[in-house]
Amino acid sequence: MDEPSLLQKIAAETLGTAFLVFIGVGAVPATIIVNGDAPFTMADLGMISLAFGTVVVATVYALGHISGNHINPAVTIGLAVTGHFPWSRVPAYIAAQVVGAIAGAAAILGVLGTAARDAGLGIATYSPQTSPVQAFFAEFVGTFILVFTVFGVIHRKAPAGVAIGLVVFAAIIPVAPTTGASINPARTVGPMLVQQLAGGSVAWHQLPVYVLAELLAGALAALSYVAISRTRADATVAPVATPSAPTNAAA
């Protein structure tokens, strides 16, 4: 069977991440705009989480057979450190994911206008009352659960879309009140950059907390899953690179 070219894989990662950001992140300013002066409630958080979860399901089924639908650098890094994805393709995949996140955030502005910028464009941020350590821990835990689940789906060769979409939905609920639940470095960077270019305020000093927590969690979650699921039979078989295996998406 012919495998998609690297260019096709990169295009799929770009589009998938753009869809994730436009629908998932875009649900945040859309909710704020529709609510007006009404307070933000748990029901609002549930709808935003549902937007993230459903777009993940859609992109897994639409693009998983082309690029694996990582759409999250934490997943790409996790696959690479465990030998399931070639390191030579990691820079291209991550670049595509960041470009896609920027495009998705720009599309939010195009659809919702400057009201989206004024509503914060859905950028992930934590309040001054939250310490960097607490924010790091929140993003680490959320990303760890996501990537660990992705590896479980790959290992079981189970239908990926619903399982990963549900864990994205679930992880956002407890993590979002602390950090906005980015759990995806591309999703973190793209909206921040577009918000800055649009004239909005951005807490750039928080960026390292998000990116380091998410990438570290991705690597450790992948290694942890391999460690607890590896059998003696696995030890006698060399790892097989599966760059196009349907895997993830993320928030």
Side-chain angles (χ1 to χ4, degrees), residues 24 29 39 41 51 97 104 110 121 130 134 139 163 188 201-202 216 228 233 237 239:
T41 68
Q97 292 155 1
L121 200 65
T130 300
Q134 182 183 356
E139 285 296 309
T188 302
S201 60
V202 178
L216 180 62
I228 68 170
V237 180

Side-chain angles (χ1 to χ4, degrees), residues 7-18 63 66-69 71 96:
L7 182 59
Q8 290 174 308
K9 295 174 188 291
I10 291 172
E13 285 297 304
T14 302
L15 286 172
T17 313
L63 301 170
I66 300 174
S67 68
N69 198 57
I71 65 176

Side-chain angles (χ1 to χ4, degrees), residues 69-216:
N69 198 57
H70 301 184
I71 65 176
N72 185 336
V75 172
T76 302
I77 291 296
L79 290 167
V81 299
T82 53
H84 289 85
F85 188 77
W87 279 104
S88 61
R89 293 187 178 180
V90 168
Y93 262 57
I94 292 179
Q97 292 155 1
V98 172
V99 169
I102 293 170
I108 297 170
L109 279 179
V111 171
L112 298 177
T114 56
R117 177 202 63 196
D118 298 340
L121 200 65
I123 62 173
T125 186
Y126 56 90
S127 71
Q129 289 71 42
T130 300
S131 71
V133 173
Q134 182 183 356
F136 183 97
F137 187 72
E139 285 296 309
F140 181 93
V141 170
T143 309
F144 188 98
I145 292 170
L146 169 61
V147 177
F148 193 88
T149 303
V150 168
F151 269 75
V153 170
I154 296 171
H155 182 77
R156 298 281 297 178
K157 296 181 173 60
V162 174
I164 298 172
L166 285 174
V167 79
V168 169
F169 174 88
I172 288 173
I173 300 296
V175 178
T178 300
T179 61
S182 172
I183 60 178
N184 181 333
R187 175 263 187 267
T188 302
V189 173
M192 291 178 77
L193 179 59
V194 173
Q195 176 75 340
Q196 181 74 63
L197 294 175
S201 60
V202 178
W204 286 106
H205 65 282
Q206 296 183 0
L207 181 61
V209 174
Y210 282 88
V211 173
L212 291 175
E214 292 154 359
L215 292 180
L216 180 62

